[in-house]
Amino acid sequence: MTSKKPNFLVIVADDLGFSDTGPFGSEIKTPALDSIAKDGVRLTNFHTASACSPTRSMLFSGTDNHIAGLGQMAEHMGNRELFKGKPGYEGYLNFRVAALSEILQDSGYLTLMSGKWHLGAAKEHAPCSRGFDKGFVYLPGSGNHYNYEPQFKEGEPRPSLAVADPNTFWMRDGTYLNRWTELPKDFYSTRTFTDELLNYFETRTPEEKDKPFFSYLAFTAPHWPLHAPKEIIDLYKGVYDNGPAELRRKRLARLVELGLVPKDVEPAPMVGLLDPEWESMSPEERAASARKMETFAAMVHLVDENIQRVLDYLKSTDELDNTFIVFMSDNGAEGTLLEALPMLNGATSMGALIEKHYNNTLENIGNKDSFTWYGASWACASMAPSRGFKTWITEGGIRCPCLVRYPPLTKNAGAHTNSFTTVMDLVPTILELAGAEHPHPKPFRGREVVPVRGKSWVSHLGGQAGEVHDSETSITGWELFGLRAIRQGKWKAIYMTPPRGRDTWELYDMDADPGEIHDLAEKEPEALARLVQHWNVYYSETGMFDPDVTFHVVKDKRVT
């Protein structure tokens, strides 16, 4: 290990599927990520929450989202009174946790951020108040990749997913930006976020260059709406003309070839509000669906292209090999149909808003004034062999791609590990490498903070430990939108409401059945009873709250 403190670069892609990059079997061109995998390690059993802000709260806190403030996504707290006064349901990264950026800032690190925050829109909850020295920040959860959003003009009804004032979406170094006048005229999210991070690197003062850095590059791509330049979309023209089922077959074959899933794996069937069978769709319907997937591929292509720009810079300054790089997705691929998302006060539908302001004709898909998403079938194709996608508590919602590159630690370059890991592990991993301690149980910045629940990867990646989490004793739980899961070793129990589940606990052997297809609840009652008891402990430990409401995102039906 080098004697100099390592730098850190954490890169998060938004709604990226398990097999959407080259290291995980994709046909999408991702040479930068290929190089990270070649020089580093692929984590094939890496877990997040089933949606974005809860995952990000776990990333920065090292603990469960129900403790860190995102027990529920702020956008889905329809009746705020239900959650009022409930610790862990503040809707922002709360102050019971010591944020990773805060700890590293206090440990002498230069802390930089560019991209999506989604952990609080008020200034007191923004990155400038949670340990970042500098940051070009998009505060909400999603938005137009060209900054074209006529629905936010004065007098227009706002969609329910817009919980913040549109005039306070953007911030630089603690100051709100006017989105209409202070963003680049040629704004494109992926490129602009990268430009801003590179500018922070390039303009470091001599004093700042003497400090190690912690940098966070959080893309909003490839989250809907699907946008990319036409010339990049056209690189993938025709690639998806045979539909999602064929893509799923090819991706699975490649995952098997790479040794990332077993040869005899039984993939989960596609689920959710699926498109009709490809052969039964009209030529026009197939063309539009394929074009959406081509646009998605172009967005991933551009994420990779811009990651290469960062790698090239770090190489030019001789900082690359002393930088611990993590690349991950924040949850499974997005398979929700957005016209099912209600507007504020239920006045109209997302579909009506799109009809009014956007042009989703075939030739316009991907342009700034289009607003499209690709749906459940393509999402399931990218999450195979897992069941489901984002918002599902099955593996399709929470098992995500992850890459690590740090030559002083990862001696077995190009390898992969199937050891169970979670996003909560990043805090203890990074702190161990930085030689910094988590402050619990001591007061931190004048407040009491909770301990981490994650485990460091250092011994495992360094070859000294066979697994990260002890399969006999380690318990990990998940809950979001009323869907529940608890895992110990190979056993995983899930509880899902209809139409996704049966309103009863199901039990799966994840070693033998990664697709969560064969429910063993009746055959293994003792294992199920043990896990349900672990769930009860997890529920209590995390201070979870059941509002006893049905969340529209798990209904999997069209609402107009």
Side-chain angles (χ1 to χ4, degrees):
M1 301 274 280
T2 178
S3 58
K4 184 185 176 186
K5 281 190 174 184
N7 304 307
F8 299 98
L9 171 62
V10 177
I11 307 171
V12 179
D14 205 346
D15 293 359
L16 183 78
F18 186 77
S19 63
D20 280 334
T21 63
F24 288 86
S26 183
E27 70 295 331
I28 302 171
K29 296 177 179 65
T30 58
L33 294 174
D34 293 345
S35 72
I36 291 174
K38 180 174 176 288
D39 296 338
V41 177
R42 285 167 290 181
L43 280 67
T44 58
N45 204 1
F46 173 74
H47 290 76
T48 63
S50 63
C52 14
S53 53
T55 291
R56 292 159 203 269
S57 74
M58 295 159 75
L59 189 163
F60 275 95
S61 69
T63 192
D64 191 88
N65 57 294
H66 300 90
I67 295 171
L70 274 298
Q72 183 51 259
M73 295 178 70
E75 298 91 333
H76 295 278
M77 292 182 185
N79 181 358
R80 290 300 180 100
E81 289 300 313
L82 278 175
F83 301 94
K84 193 173 181 180
K86 303 289 184 185
Y89 291 82
E90 293 87 354
Y92 56 83
L93 186 68
N94 65 29
F95 292 92
R96 293 199 295 167
V97 303
L100 175 60
S101 41
E102 293 176 314
I103 302 170
L104 291 176
Q105 187 180 54
D106 288 2
S107 300
Y109 272 74
L110 173 67
T111 50
L112 308 171
M113 173 183 173
S114 185
K116 171 176 165 178
W117 179 239
H118 206 194
L119 292 174
K123 185 171 182 178
E124 60 266 28
H125 307 141
C128 59
S129 302
R130 299 311 303 264
F132 280 100
D133 296 319
K134 301 178 183 181
F136 175 76
V137 184
Y138 182 64
L139 292 162
S142 64
N144 188 290
H145 296 279
Y146 287 107
N147 190 35
Y148 175 84
E149 291 180 318
Q151 72 269 26
F152 289 124
K153 289 179 180 175
E154 199 68 37
E156 293 288 345
R158 286 166 54 197
S160 63
L161 295 190
V163 295
D165 178 348
N167 296 313
T168 59
F169 279 8
W170 292 91
M171 181 177 276
R172 177 183 277 115
D173 303 341
T175 300
Y176 287 111
L177 299 177
N178 184 313
R179 65 178 310 182
W180 312 114
T181 62
E182 296 185 272
L183 294 184
K185 296 299 181 188
D186 63 346
F187 178 92
Y188 179 72
S189 65
T190 302
R191 183 186 63 246
T192 302
F193 289 141
T194 308
D195 288 346
E196 293 286 342
L197 181 63
L198 288 172
N199 181 61
Y200 283 140
F201 282 144
E202 290 165 353
T203 58
R204 284 176 290 175
T205 65
E207 181 182 334
E208 289 171 339
K209 285 182 178 178
D210 284 341
K211 292 183 174 183
F213 65 77
F214 169 76
S215 56
Y216 179 50
L217 180 57
F219 295 112
T220 48
H223 194 297
W224 52 257
L226 304 177
H227 293 131
K230 184 177 184 298
E231 63 271 19
I232 307 299
I233 301 173
D234 285 346
L235 294 175
Y236 295 91
K237 192 170 180 61
V239 173
Y240 304 105
D241 284 358
N242 292 325
E246 176 64 10
L247 178 66
R248 177 174 176 266
R249 185 192 67 77
K250 287 183 176 179
R251 294 266 187 97
L252 276 169
R254 181 62 177 149
L255 284 166
V256 169
E257 183 183 335
L258 290 169
L260 304 184
V261 300
K263 288 183 180 179
D264 59 351
V265 69
E266 184 179 1
M270 291 187 173
V271 293
L273 195 56
L274 300 170
D275 294 329
E277 289 294 322
W278 195 250
E279 293 72 19
S280 70
M281 295 170 69
S282 70
E284 294 77 15
E285 289 170 331
R286 289 199 296 267
S289 182
R291 192 60 170 175
K292 292 171 187 175
M293 184 60 209
E294 291 165 8
T295 307
F296 179 91
M299 295 174 77
V300 177
H301 181 113
L302 288 167
V303 164
D304 186 85
E305 198 171 87
N306 281 277
I307 289 172
Q308 187 63 59
R309 295 173 62 204
V310 180
L311 299 181
D312 289 345
Y313 172 79
L314 294 175
K315 188 173 182 180
S316 75
T317 58
D318 201 26
E319 294 175 293
L320 179 61
D321 286 347
N322 193 41
T323 300
F324 181 87
I325 299 173
V326 177
F327 171 83
M328 57 171 277
S329 179
D330 61 343
N331 44 245
E334 168 66 281
T336 303
L337 290 182
L338 292 194
E339 69 268 32
L341 299 178
M343 297 290 286
L344 281 177
N345 303 321
T348 183
S349 70
M350 182 66 92
L353 180 148
I354 293 168
E355 182 73 22
K356 180 176 181 179
H357 295 288
Y358 294 92
N359 171 12
N360 286 346
T361 56
L362 176 63
E363 60 275 9
N364 203 55
I365 290 173
N367 289 340
K368 70 176 185 178
D369 59 338
S370 65
F371 196 115
T372 60
W373 55 95
Y374 67 2
S377 299
W378 294 110
C380 286
S382 74
M383 294 312 299
S386 299
R387 173 157 61 123
F389 41 79
K390 178 181 176 179
T391 74
W392 285 65
I393 214 74
T394 50
E395 296 293 282
I398 62 176
R399 186 172 182 174
C400 296
C402 182
L403 301 171
V404 171
R405 184 193 190 278
Y406 184 51
L409 177 64
T410 55
K411 304 296 186 186
N412 194 9
H416 71 270
T417 172
N418 199 45
S419 179
F420 178 87
T421 52
T422 94
V423 67
M424 293 182 287
D425 301 335
L426 282 172
V427 167
T429 301
I430 288 173
L431 292 184
E432 181 173 349
L433 289 170
E437 290 186 2
H438 190 274
H440 177 83
K442 298 174 185 175
F444 177 71
R445 295 192 172 190
R447 64 187 194 263
E448 298 297 319
V449 294
V450 298
V452 298
R453 293 173 75 93
K455 302 290 184 185
S456 173
W457 297 343
V458 172
S459 293
H460 179 66
L461 294 180
Q464 290 86 43
E467 56 186 358
V468 175
H469 295 264
D470 188 300
S471 57
E472 296 298 319
T473 60
S474 183
I475 313 293
T476 305
W478 295 264
E479 185 276 336
L480 200 60
F481 308 120
L483 310 183
R484 307 170 179 180
I486 192 82
R487 181 161 177 175
Q488 181 181 27
K490 71 174 186 176
W491 293 113
K492 181 182 175 186
I494 64 173
Y495 186 104
M496 298 193 294
T497 52
R500 296 185 177 182
R502 302 188 301 273
D503 250 340
T504 188
W505 284 101
E506 305 167 32
L507 179 68
Y508 297 98
D509 178 342
M510 299 308 298
D511 289 348
D513 182 24
E516 294 164 285
I517 301 167
H518 305 289
D519 182 6
L520 301 178
E522 292 186 5
K523 290 184 178 179
E524 299 282 353
E526 290 183 7
L528 179 61
R530 185 170 65 251
L531 283 177
V532 171
Q533 181 55 39
H534 286 318
W535 167 265
N536 292 332
V537 173
Y538 167 70
Y539 185 99
S540 176
E541 283 182 351
T542 58
M544 202 181 299
F545 163 64
D546 183 359
D548 195 27
V549 298
T550 301
F551 294 92
H552 65 82
V553 294
V554 299
K555 291 180 181 177
D556 291 330
K557 65 179 182 179
R558 199 179 302 260
V559 179
T560 57

PDB file of all heavy atoms in Angstrom, residues 88-99:
ATOM      1  N   GLY A  88     -36.076   9.363  11.017  1.00  0.00           N
ATOM      2  CA  GLY A  88     -35.739   8.505   9.883  1.00  0.00           C
ATOM      3  C   GLY A  88     -36.614   8.732   8.671  1.00  0.00           C
ATOM      4  O   GLY A  88     -36.362   8.164   7.604  1.00  0.00           O
ATOM      5  N   TYR A  89     -37.631   9.576   8.820  1.00  0.00           N
ATOM      6  CA  TYR A  89     -38.538   9.877   7.708  1.00  0.00           C
ATOM      7  C   TYR A  89     -38.563  11.382   7.427  1.00  0.00           C
ATOM      8  O   TYR A  89     -39.587  11.933   7.035  1.00  0.00           O
ATOM      9  CB  TYR A  89     -39.946   9.367   8.024  1.00  0.00           C
ATOM     10  CG  TYR A  89     -40.034   7.858   8.026  1.00  0.00           C
ATOM     11  CD1 TYR A  89     -39.652   7.121   9.153  1.00  0.00           C
ATOM     12  CD2 TYR A  89     -40.452   7.153   6.910  1.00  0.00           C
ATOM     13  CE1 TYR A  89     -39.710   5.740   9.164  1.00  0.00           C
ATOM     14  CE2 TYR A  89     -40.514   5.776   6.903  1.00  0.00           C
ATOM     15  CZ  TYR A  89     -40.142   5.065   8.041  1.00  0.00           C
ATOM     16  OH  TYR A  89     -40.189   3.690   8.045  1.00  0.00           O
ATOM     17  N   GLU A  90     -37.436  12.016   7.598  1.00  0.00           N
ATOM     18  CA  GLU A  90     -37.359  13.449   7.373  1.00  0.00           C
ATOM     19  C   GLU A  90     -37.429  13.825   5.899  1.00  0.00           C
ATOM     20  O   GLU A  90     -37.758  14.954   5.552  1.00  0.00           O
ATOM     21  CB  GLU A  90     -36.062  14.013   7.976  1.00  0.00           C
ATOM     22  CG  GLU A  90     -35.999  13.946   9.501  1.00  0.00           C
ATOM     23  CD  GLU A  90     -35.457  12.607  10.017  1.00  0.00           C
ATOM     24  OE1 GLU A  90     -35.229  11.688   9.181  1.00  0.00           O
ATOM     25  OE2 GLU A  90     -35.257  12.481  11.228  1.00  0.00           O
ATOM     26  N   GLY A  91     -37.070  12.881   5.018  1.00  0.00           N
ATOM     27  CA  GLY A  91     -37.043  13.172   3.588  1.00  0.00           C
ATOM     28  C   GLY A  91     -35.747  13.810   3.132  1.00  0.00           C
ATOM     29  O   GLY A  91     -35.620  14.234   1.991  1.00  0.00           O
ATOM     30  N   TYR A  92     -34.757  13.873   4.013  1.00  0.00           N
ATOM     31  CA  TYR A  92     -33.420  14.360   3.669  1.00  0.00           C
ATOM     32  C   TYR A  92     -32.413  13.592   4.529  1.00  0.00           C
ATOM     33  O   TYR A  92     -32.797  12.910   5.492  1.00  0.00           O
ATOM     34  CB  TYR A  92     -33.292  15.868   3.910  1.00  0.00           C
ATOM     35  CG  TYR A  92     -33.619  16.330   5.317  1.00  0.00           C
ATOM     36  CD1 TYR A  92     -32.672  16.278   6.347  1.00  0.00           C
ATOM     37  CD2 TYR A  92     -34.886  16.833   5.628  1.00  0.00           C
ATOM     38  CE1 TYR A  92     -32.971  16.695   7.634  1.00  0.00           C
ATOM     39  CE2 TYR A  92     -35.199  17.255   6.918  1.00  0.00           C
ATOM     40  CZ  TYR A  92     -34.239  17.188   7.910  1.00  0.00           C
ATOM     41  OH  TYR A  92     -34.546  17.587   9.193  1.00  0.00           O
ATOM     42  N   LEU A  93     -31.138  13.668   4.177  1.00  0.00           N
ATOM     43  CA  LEU A  93     -30.092  13.027   4.971  1.00  0.00           C
ATOM     44  C   LEU A  93     -30.051  13.717   6.325  1.00  0.00           C
ATOM     45  O   LEU A  93     -29.666  14.880   6.427  1.00  0.00           O
ATOM     46  CB  LEU A  93     -28.739  13.142   4.261  1.00  0.00           C
ATOM     47  CG  LEU A  93     -27.579  12.391   4.917  1.00  0.00           C
ATOM     48  CD1 LEU A  93     -27.784  10.885   4.815  1.00  0.00           C
ATOM     49  CD2 LEU A  93     -26.259  12.798   4.253  1.00  0.00           C
ATOM     50  N   ASN A  94     -30.488  13.010   7.362  1.00  0.00           N
ATOM     51  CA  ASN A  94     -30.674  13.682   8.651  1.00  0.00           C
ATOM     52  C   ASN A  94     -29.353  13.836   9.401  1.00  0.00           C
ATOM     53  O   ASN A  94     -28.294  13.383   8.957  1.00  0.00           O
ATOM     54  CB  ASN A  94     -31.756  12.983   9.481  1.00  0.00           C
ATOM     55  CG  ASN A  94     -31.373  11.570   9.898  1.00  0.00           C
ATOM     56  OD1 ASN A  94     -30.199  11.242  10.061  1.00  0.00           O
ATOM     57  ND2 ASN A  94     -32.370  10.712  10.081  1.00  0.00           N
ATOM     58  N   PHE A  95     -29.451  14.471  10.557  1.00  0.00           N
ATOM     59  CA  PHE A  95     -28.241  14.784  11.317  1.00  0.00           C
ATOM     60  C   PHE A  95     -27.975  13.781  12.435  1.00  0.00           C
ATOM     61  O   PHE A  95     -27.099  13.998  13.270  1.00  0.00           O
ATOM     62  CB  PHE A  95     -28.326  16.222  11.841  1.00  0.00           C
ATOM     63  CG  PHE A  95     -28.249  17.228  10.735  1.00  0.00           C
ATOM     64  CD1 PHE A  95     -29.404  17.708  10.123  1.00  0.00           C
ATOM     65  CD2 PHE A  95     -27.027  17.660  10.251  1.00  0.00           C
ATOM     66  CE1 PHE A  95     -29.337  18.618   9.079  1.00  0.00           C
ATOM     67  CE2 PHE A  95     -26.938  18.566   9.210  1.00  0.00           C
ATOM     68  CZ  PHE A  95     -28.099  19.046   8.619  1.00  0.00           C
ATOM     69  N   ARG A  96     -28.696  12.667  12.392  1.00  0.00           N
ATOM     70  CA  ARG A  96     -28.343  11.548  13.266  1.00  0.00           C
ATOM     71  C   ARG A  96     -27.159  10.787  12.702  1.00  0.00           C
ATOM     72  O   ARG A  96     -26.566   9.950  13.396  1.00  0.00           O
ATOM     73  CB  ARG A  96     -29.532  10.589  13.428  1.00  0.00           C
ATOM     74  CG  ARG A  96     -30.708  11.175  14.174  1.00  0.00           C
ATOM     75  CD  ARG A  96     -31.610  10.068  14.677  1.00  0.00           C
ATOM     76  NE  ARG A  96     -32.221   9.315  13.582  1.00  0.00           N
ATOM     77  CZ  ARG A  96     -32.841   8.150  13.744  1.00  0.00           C
ATOM     78  NH1 ARG A  96     -32.886   7.569  14.936  1.00  0.00           N
ATOM     79  NH2 ARG A  96     -33.412   7.549  12.720  1.00  0.00           N
ATOM     80  N   VAL A  97     -26.856  11.034  11.413  1.00  0.00           N
ATOM     81  CA  VAL A  97     -25.738  10.329  10.777  1.00  0.00           C
ATOM     82  C   VAL A  97     -24.587  11.291  10.533  1.00  0.00           C
ATOM     83  O   VAL A  97     -24.797  12.489  10.298  1.00  0.00           O
ATOM     84  CB  VAL A  97     -26.169   9.666   9.446  1.00  0.00           C
ATOM     85  CG1 VAL A  97     -27.322   8.705   9.686  1.00  0.00           C
ATOM     86  CG2 VAL A  97     -26.540  10.691   8.385  1.00  0.00           C
ATOM     87  N   ALA A  98     -23.384  10.768  10.590  1.00  0.00           N
ATOM     88  CA  ALA A  98     -22.200  11.516  10.174  1.00  0.00           C
ATOM     89  C   ALA A  98     -21.976  11.203   8.703  1.00  0.00           C
ATOM     90  O   ALA A  98     -21.712  10.053   8.344  1.00  0.00           O
ATOM     91  CB  ALA A  98     -20.986  11.095  10.994  1.00  0.00           C
ATOM     92  N   ALA A  99     -22.131  12.203   7.846  1.00  0.00           N
ATOM     93  CA  ALA A  99     -21.973  11.971   6.409  1.00  0.00           C
ATOM     94  C   ALA A  99     -20.505  11.681   6.089  1.00  0.00           C
ATOM     95  O   ALA A  99     -19.594  12.274   6.676  1.00  0.00           O
ATOM     96  CB  ALA A  99     -22.458  13.181   5.623  1.00  0.00           C
TER      97      ALA A  99
END
